Amino acid sequence: MGPVFWFILIALCIYTVIPTLLVRLLGWGVYRRGEMRRTAYLTFDDGPDPEYTPKLLDLLRQYGVKATFFVLGAKAQEHPELIRRMRGEGHLIGIHNYSHWANALMSPGKVRRQIAAAARVIEEITGERPVYYRPPWGIINLFDFGLLREFRMVLWSLIPGDWRSRGGKARIQRRLESRFRDGAVIVLHDSGQTLGADEDAPQYMLQALEEFIGGMRERQYTFLRVDELNREKGKPSGLAWYRRLPVALWLKWEAVYHALFALEPVDPDNRLLYYRVCTYHGRSILLPDGEEIRKGDRVIELHFNNEMIFHIAGGTRSMMQLAVQLIRAVQELLPKMAERLMSDAVTRDIKGIYGITMINRGPKQFGFTVTDLPKGLFYIVSKLYLRLLLLVIHPQGKQRLEVKKELLTPKVLAISAKELQRRYSASPEYITVSE
């Protein structure tokens, strides 16, 4: 590969790759997520579309939901009546360029002309100049940071891939429900006419969206427009820039891990604890009630949602304070776990529940047995992993690793399924455990 290739590659990284990573991973200058509990932000790109946008507006009106539309100026010019209807029904209108071109493929001047043309069209139709902007595909160039003086750039925290028809309604709905977190900015598409999209994809999006809105309403969630986002811009308050990258990368890894092992929340309304049903492979654990978890038993493996822990840790001053808050939160979740054991056919025959953590002060009062993780390769890997996690999520970072090092060792927490139900289930019936 000659010098010309390397020059082009370096120029491309400087012009678009690095800036896009900065906003996508670190959230520099953009809105990606809200902080309020029981809220969600529905946003729609690529419209207005004469076939699907009216159906979407009907659906939103039916449920009394307000949303944000990032429209293409060319399409808005063709269908001004839809733009007027959006505004008349209380939705927020933002810009998604005049045409659906990636900013990486345009010069800075052309990007500005695209945005100015789209803004002018919207202002002529509504009488109000839009101030919210979402670049197509979430890709920007180096000079787009200058747009922040005039526009508020909005990305997303949940994208279910609804531009594809494959998998239909079920795939979109599954992704919406499994990936949702409080304050999520959700991006959907009310047009299938852009590059890479399937023309009939919006019909499946509408079907999934109706189910999703209905379910979220039952859980007492509120849908807001993006102009009601808090001003934190989706990034941890007070976190130094040099710590945002490892935090962002770690949380991305967490999302991949959850997907790989199909982890599910114990309580969809409080996603602090996740679990999976698996076969136990560790050393036998003798429990106080006489039960014993042995190799080959079916068990529930618990996992903390480290993204939530990170946000909780940001508001605490010490590891003890963090542990107290987590213990209280887990206490609220244990009845949900007991209820799930009884109601789910997949979990009714499990022998016990276990997890590995360094936050191990307090679980005994809830019936958990705390034992040392046997020394060996798994112990070493777990210790390194948990210390790295603590380094990333704890507000004191490296300083915390230097305090009371002897306490920073992984422990195994375990409780039998019978004991969990005895303590926390409203039903007197015990779980039948297969031997």
Side-chain angles (χ1 to χ4, degrees):
M1 297 180 184
V4 174
F5 170 83
W6 289 110
F7 175 79
I8 293 174
L9 182 62
I10 292 171
L12 185 65
C13 287
I14 294 173
Y15 185 66
T16 184
V17 175
I18 293 175
T20 298
L21 288 175
L22 288 176
V23 298
R24 294 286 288 271
L25 293 179
L26 303 186
W28 282 9
V30 302
Y31 294 80
R32 296 185 305 174
R33 185 173 177 177
E35 297 294 335
M36 291 188 292
R37 290 198 63 189
R38 295 191 180 280
T39 60
Y41 301 82
L42 288 175
T43 69
F44 299 91
D45 291 1
D46 298 355
D49 182 272
E51 179 179 0
Y52 294 112
T53 302
K55 296 177 182 178
L56 172 58
L57 290 169
D58 290 343
L59 175 61
L60 297 175
R61 183 172 58 186
Q62 175 186 343
Y63 284 91
V65 169
K66 297 296 184 285
T68 303
F69 288 82
F70 291 98
V71 302
L72 296 171
K75 289 188 175 182
Q77 203 163 27
E78 292 178 9
H79 307 287
E81 74 286 354
L82 293 177
I83 300 297
R84 284 190 286 267
R85 181 179 170 185
M86 289 175 189
R87 187 171 186 273
E89 295 182 2
H91 304 294
L92 181 67
I93 301 172
I95 299 170
H96 199 45
N97 283 358
Y98 185 80
S99 301
H100 203 277
W101 282 87
N103 292 11
L105 303 178
M106 297 187 287
S107 68
K110 186 171 183 178
V111 172
R112 278 159 177 73
R113 289 192 293 273
Q114 281 264 326
I115 295 173
R120 185 168 55 251
V121 168
I122 302 304
E123 188 173 13
E124 289 174 355
I125 296 172
T126 66
E128 184 177 354
R129 187 172 178 80
V131 297
Y132 288 89
Y133 171 62
R134 174 176 287 157
W137 293 294
I139 298 173
I140 68 167
N141 66 55
L142 179 63
F143 298 92
D144 288 344
F145 289 111
L147 298 170
L148 300 178
R149 294 192 297 267
E150 184 179 359
F151 295 96
R152 297 169 187 173
M153 198 178 299
V154 181
L155 294 184
W156 58 82
S157 61
L158 196 168
I159 182 165
D162 63 313
W163 57 85
R164 291 292 190 189
S165 300
R166 184 178 179 181
K169 162 194 163 184
R171 180 181 62 87
I172 300 170
Q173 187 175 347
R174 182 175 65 253
R175 290 185 175 184
L176 282 171
E177 293 174 352
S178 64
R179 299 178 183 180
F180 179 81
R181 303 290 184 273
D182 279 351
V185 175
I186 304 168
V187 58
L188 297 165
H189 301 79
D190 56 326
S191 173
Q193 297 178 355
T194 52
L195 180 65
D198 295 329
E199 289 190 14
D200 62 343
Q203 69 175 309
Y204 301 111
M205 179 276 291
L206 291 170
Q207 295 169 10
L209 181 61
E210 183 168 13
E211 295 285 342
F212 178 70
I213 290 176
M216 297 298 282
R217 278 297 176 84
E218 289 180 2
R219 293 163 56 187
Q220 300 181 332
Y221 271 80
T222 301
F223 292 94
L224 302 174
R225 308 185 333 176
V226 299
D227 56 347
E228 298 173 275
L229 278 164
N230 59 41
R231 301 310 180 198
E232 295 299 320
K233 298 183 180 179
K235 58 189 180 186
S237 176
L239 193 64
W241 68 268
Y242 55 81
R243 288 199 62 206
R244 289 184 209 145
L245 181 58
V247 169
L249 292 174
W250 189 277
L251 296 182
K252 288 290 184 183
W253 154 247
E254 290 281 331
V256 171
Y257 184 89
H258 279 217
L260 284 175
F261 290 95
L263 301 184
E264 297 184 33
V266 172
D267 179 5
D269 293 331
N270 180 0
R271 294 173 177 259
L272 177 63
L273 272 183
Y274 279 70
Y275 77 96
R276 69 176 181 129
V277 177
C278 61
T279 301
Y280 183 70
H281 295 289
R283 186 177 65 181
S284 295
I285 305 174
L286 182 62
L287 302 171
D289 62 353
E291 292 290 314
E292 185 177 6
I293 299 177
R294 297 186 294 265
K295 185 175 181 180
D297 286 336
R298 276 170 49 82
V299 294
I300 284 180
E301 184 180 87
L302 291 179
H303 294 266
F304 275 117
N305 179 348
N306 290 314
E307 183 177 1
M308 284 190 67
I309 293 180
F310 172 74
H311 289 292
I312 294 172
T316 60
R317 296 184 300 274
S318 67
M319 194 66 179
M320 177 62 75
Q321 195 176 57
L322 173 61
V324 168
Q325 291 198 31
L326 291 178
I327 287 169
R328 289 174 179 170
V330 170
Q331 185 177 17
E332 294 177 3
L333 286 170
L334 289 175
K336 293 285 187 179
M337 175 61 77
E339 179 184 344
R340 185 170 290 273
L341 288 177
M342 283 298 302
S343 61
D344 193 338
V346 176
T347 60
R348 283 180 64 88
D349 67 339
I350 62 102
K351 189 70 170 292
I353 300 94
Y354 89 104
I356 299 172
T357 180
M358 283 196 297
I359 303 174
N360 47 56
R361 287 172 288 182
K364 287 184 179 180
Q365 62 184 298
F366 303 132
F368 282 85
T369 295
V370 180
T371 60
D372 291 328
L373 189 64
K375 298 292 178 68
L377 180 60
F378 185 69
Y379 172 86
I380 295 172
V381 172
S382 297
K383 187 172 183 177
L384 290 174
Y385 176 87
L386 292 172
R387 286 194 172 208
L388 179 59
L389 173 62
L390 187 62
L391 175 66
V392 171
I393 70 170
H394 198 274
Q396 295 175 349
K398 186 177 179 181
Q399 295 177 2
R400 175 61 190 94
L401 295 180
E402 302 301 324
V403 179
K404 297 183 179 179
K405 292 183 178 180
E406 68 279 3
L407 298 179
L408 298 181
T409 57
K411 302 280 187 179
V412 179
L413 310 181
I415 187 173
S416 72
K418 289 183 178 180
E419 180 66 14
L420 182 77
Q421 187 181 338
R422 186 186 70 80
R423 285 174 175 260
Y424 300 104
S425 177
S427 170
E429 179 186 356
Y430 282 90
I431 297 172
T432 301
V433 179
S434 299
E435 294 293 348

